[in-house]
Amino acid sequence: MKLLLLLSAILLLISCGKERHIHLTAKNAVTGAPYPGLNYYVVEEKEGNNGTDYTTVATGTLDGNGEKIVPVKIRKNRSYVIRLDPPPNWCYMNEVSYSYTIHGEKSPTFDFTFAECATLQRKVKNTNCFDSNDKIEIYIDNSVHSLLSTPWILNGCADYTTVPTKVPVGNYTLHWIVTKNNVSTDYYDSFNLTENEMKVYEIDY
């Protein structure tokens, strides 16, 4: 009888799991300002014979500092996904944010970062075309490094306008290389985009 009670107590402790305190933060990726009041969810995943079962084990909102320490019972053979509702008008979230999977780590911290949207349109025109061998290579980066690292290349007597595109706010840096008559020249520029701003950026070369 004592052995049965002991086994039952052990099984109960295993099923209850160990309590972990998950630390959540949400900040603006450009300014570092917190995002208070965002909703969070901790979802337990269990693999079964009929697929994966999902159970929400904790939910709530971040405090005025955009933070929350969430006590969660981490159970054996379970995975836990942390989700956070993004702020309105967002165009960027860091690659590891929005959902995480943990497997019982001790008191993990999850930092969510977001950036709001602006609108950018680009116009590139070869206003003094030499011949079909003319080339422009355009490199562009921003504060959250969400853009491709490969250059945008236009050949010949180019005249190209992009469609207006939603992009993250922040600082943008540009480097373009113009090649005409086998001579290459480098140019540099930068600009800043604020939330809901519409900017048309033109390069005439």
Side-chain angles (χ1 to χ4, degrees):
M1 184 67 178
K2 290 182 178 180
L3 179 60
L4 181 61
L5 290 174
L6 179 60
L7 289 173
S8 298
I10 292 173
L11 290 173
L12 179 61
L13 287 173
I14 293 174
S15 64
C16 289
K18 296 181 179 180
E19 185 172 85
R20 297 286 185 257
H21 290 84
I22 299 173
H23 185 195
L24 307 178
T25 72
K27 295 180 179 180
N28 186 295
V30 178
T31 67
Y35 285 110
L38 299 183
N39 297 320
Y40 67 82
Y41 312 87
V42 181
V43 180
E44 182 182 84
E45 298 181 346
K46 177 186 176 182
E47 297 296 331
N49 295 330
N50 297 319
T52 306
D53 294 326
Y54 302 93
T55 304
T56 300
V57 295
T59 185
T61 58
L62 302 185
D63 64 19
N65 295 317
E67 297 187 59
K68 193 71 174 183
I69 295 178
V70 186
V72 177
K73 293 285 188 179
I74 303 297
R75 298 198 292 169
K76 188 177 180 181
N77 299 323
R78 303 287 195 277
S79 296
Y80 295 83
V81 177
I82 315 303
R83 293 193 176 93
L84 195 69
D85 285 343
N89 191 34
W90 65 279
C91 274
Y92 165 83
M93 59 183 177
N94 55 321
E95 292 181 1
V96 294
S97 73
Y98 199 57
S99 71
Y100 304 85
T101 302
I102 60 177
H103 298 275
E105 294 93 335
K106 184 177 181 180
S107 302
T109 297
F110 301 114
D111 299 314
F112 294 74
T113 59
F114 302 94
E116 288 82 7
C117 297
T119 302
L120 177 64
Q121 184 177 34
R122 290 180 282 174
K123 295 182 178 182
V124 181
K125 185 175 182 179
N126 189 344
T127 56
N128 187 23
C129 188
F130 182 78
D131 61 25
S132 61
N133 294 316
D134 287 6
K135 182 173 73 170
I136 183 170
E137 303 172 60
I138 304 172
Y139 299 81
I140 184 169
D141 194 13
N142 61 3
S143 297
V144 295
H145 308 297
S146 63
L147 304 175
L148 295 176
S149 59
T150 55
W152 179 27
I153 299 176
L154 296 174
N155 296 298
C157 303
D159 184 357
Y160 191 86
T161 301
T162 67
V163 297
T165 304
K166 294 289 187 181
V167 295
V169 300
N171 188 61
Y172 283 71
T173 58
L174 296 98
H175 170 211
W176 64 93
I177 306 167
V178 174
T179 301
K180 292 184 179 183
N181 195 22
N182 294 319
V183 178
S184 296
T185 306
D186 291 78
Y187 300 89
Y188 299 88
D189 197 11
S190 65
F191 60 86
N192 188 72
L193 290 176
T194 58
E195 186 177 2
N196 294 321
E197 180 181 358
M198 166 63 186
K199 183 176 183 62
V200 178
Y201 189 88
E202 298 186 39
I203 297 177
D204 294 330
Y205 65 100

